[in-house]
Amino acid sequence: MMVEAVHTYYDNVHAVKGISFEVRRGEITALIGANGAGKSTSIKTICGLLRPRSGGVYLEGSPIHKLPPERIVRLGIGYVPEGRRVFPLLTVDENLAMGAFHRRDSAGIARDKAGVYETFPKLMDRRKQLAGALSGGEQQMLAIGRALMSRPSLLVMDEPSLGLAPLLVRQVFEIIVGLNEQGLTILLSEQNARSALKIAHRGIVMETGKVRFADTSKALRENPVVQRAYLGFA
């Protein structure tokens, strides 16, 4: 996937200012930066929730930035929103079914649901419970599982560690690595830069709506500016 010279606004607020970057097939790409840097706006633009005023988003060379979100899901981009955004009055099982809203292959849906429960055994135990009664960590697992039900080739995740205890943060990042090892390409927006760059192949650093750095994760971890600003090094 390519993002090319994208400018996105909220009314007259210029939130994303000409960003360009690539998400390479088979890799984890981490989008890092402070709160307000434009990470979530970039993610929402990719997923069709916001439309860029100029520039474009391209999947396999084809433009997708003028398509509605449901069409983008059908093309293979799964979305895990910031704050989980599960359907609180639906059960875990019903939330997973919602993730497959565009599919008609009932046998395949059943197999994929079983795969989600295998990946997240806690969800299997709670499959008949209302999603609103789950813990924050369980809701994050459900949000990931719901996105996987669309059979994405690219999983886009917005702040998956937000509000989670440190142990759960580690578990979520382990899950992300495991999904990538199964062949899933992942774009990960994260304020937790240290953890994100530890698991990512490449990273993009955003500041005030612009891309400041784009490099391998190793190079970014060794970059003194990134170390001081985002990794807590003096």
Side-chain angles (χ1 to χ4, degrees):
M1 185 200 69
M2 294 290 299
V3 175
E4 294 186 355
V6 162
H7 292 261
T8 303
Y9 289 73
Y10 292 100
D11 294 325
N12 292 323
V13 178
H14 196 179
V16 167
K17 306 170 184 176
I19 63 169
S20 298
F21 61 83
E22 178 184 8
V23 177
R24 299 182 181 182
R25 184 192 298 270
E27 292 189 349
I28 300 173
T29 301
L31 187 63
I32 66 172
N35 188 32
K39 303 187 305 300
S40 289
T41 302
S42 302
I43 293 295
K44 290 176 181 177
T45 302
I46 290 167
C47 294
L49 300 171
L50 294 171
R51 185 163 291 185
R53 192 168 294 184
S54 62
V57 182
Y58 300 87
L59 184 66
E60 304 294 341
S62 298
I64 63 171
H65 49 277
K66 294 183 179 181
L67 300 178
E70 62 270 21
R71 177 61 179 154
I72 291 174
V73 171
R74 291 175 187 272
L75 290 175
I77 296 183
Y79 175 50
V80 181
E82 179 181 353
R84 276 79 78 177
R85 301 298 181 111
V86 298
F87 300 104
L89 299 182
L90 298 182
T91 66
V92 167
D93 211 61
E94 290 167 338
N95 267 268
L96 293 181
M98 290 295 290
F101 73 93
H102 65 291
R103 296 173 56 184
R104 298 294 180 266
D105 56 323
S106 56
I109 291 171
R111 285 195 299 271
D112 289 346
K113 190 180 291 185
V116 170
Y117 286 137
E118 184 176 351
T119 301
F120 304 108
K122 286 185 178 181
L123 296 184
M124 180 65 177
D125 296 338
R126 292 161 173 74
R127 63 190 183 279
K128 299 303 180 184
Q129 292 185 15
L130 295 181
L134 302 180
S135 69
E138 291 164 347
Q139 288 188 10
Q140 186 62 70
M141 295 175 190
L142 179 56
I144 296 171
R146 181 181 61 190
L148 293 176
M149 289 298 298
S150 69
R151 283 192 176 174
S153 56
L154 169 62
L155 184 64
V156 179
M157 311 179 74
D158 195 1
E159 302 286 359
S161 75
L162 186 67
L164 299 183
L167 178 59
L168 290 174
V169 170
R170 287 195 294 273
Q171 291 177 353
V172 166
F173 279 104
E174 288 171 359
I175 289 164
I176 293 169
V177 170
L179 292 173
N180 177 249
E181 289 174 345
Q182 295 173 28
L184 188 59
T185 304
I186 296 173
L187 173 61
L188 169 69
S189 167
E190 255 299 335
Q191 285 193 55
N192 188 340
R194 186 190 293 267
S195 294
L197 290 179
K198 190 176 293 184
I199 67 167
H201 299 88
R202 299 185 63 82
I204 300 145
V205 180
M206 291 193 67
E207 288 184 3
T208 60
K210 299 179 180 179
V211 172
R212 175 80 184 276
F213 301 105
D215 211 330
T216 66
S217 292
K218 181 177 185 296
L220 291 176
R221 291 196 304 269
E222 295 172 353
N223 183 313
V225 176
V226 175
Q227 288 179 349
R228 288 193 301 271
Y230 302 105
L231 303 181
F233 297 163

